[in-house]
Amino acid sequence: MDVQLKRGLLDVCVLAAIQNEDSYGYKIIKDVKPYIELSESTLYTILKRLETSGMLTVRTAEHNGRLRKYYRITAKGLARIEEFKTDWAEILAIYRFVTKEEQLYA
């Protein structure tokens, strides 16, 4: 898979994991695991990129005596999810076109 495409998909998956409630690293990994494999190092790179781009904010809170970072999606992050949905409809149309062509020659 194209690296840029995969990067964009992972970004949207992380945003989708936190769109309904604030979350933290381990929970995000657990929430996306049924759909895509995501390592901790990859996740934290994505989270930093999303924070830098203004798609999420971070706050630190104590949990069981330890500090934990919680991530919250911003309006810009929600807009990115909506943009992805529009883009995905176009990608599906292209996919249907390509696979239709393959069926004609099979």
Side-chain angles (χ1 to χ4, degrees):
M1 178 183 287
D2 177 72
V3 174
Q4 289 299 98
L5 177 60
K6 186 171 185 176
R7 180 178 171 182
L9 292 172
L10 290 173
D11 287 1
V12 172
C13 286
V14 170
L15 290 170
I18 64 172
Q19 73 179 333
N20 294 322
E21 64 180 345
D22 294 1
S23 194
Y24 54 94
Y26 177 76
K27 185 170 184 321
I28 295 169
I29 290 172
K30 185 177 155 191
D31 290 345
V32 301
K33 190 174 184 171
Y35 308 100
I36 191 163
E37 191 66 33
L38 187 61
S39 70
E40 276 187 52
S41 60
T42 299
L43 173 64
Y44 288 106
T45 300
I46 292 167
L47 290 168
K48 188 64 179 168
R49 182 171 56 245
L50 293 172
E51 178 187 6
T52 301
S53 66
M55 292 189 204
L56 58 81
T57 59
V58 183
R59 69 177 169 85
T60 304
E62 189 174 327
H63 178 77
N64 291 337
R66 296 177 49 204
L67 291 179
R68 178 185 279 174
K69 287 185 176 182
Y70 287 88
Y71 301 89
R72 172 177 288 185
I73 196 165
T74 64
K76 188 174 181 181
L78 290 170
R80 176 62 191 111
I81 291 173
E82 291 307 311
E83 179 185 328
F84 169 79
K85 291 176 184 178
T86 302
D87 293 345
W88 195 250
E90 185 178 348
I91 291 168
L92 286 176
I94 293 167
Y95 174 81
R96 283 191 295 277
F97 173 75
V98 170
T99 57
K100 177 187 74 155
E101 291 293 320
E102 288 177 357
Q103 292 171 2
L104 292 175
Y105 300 107

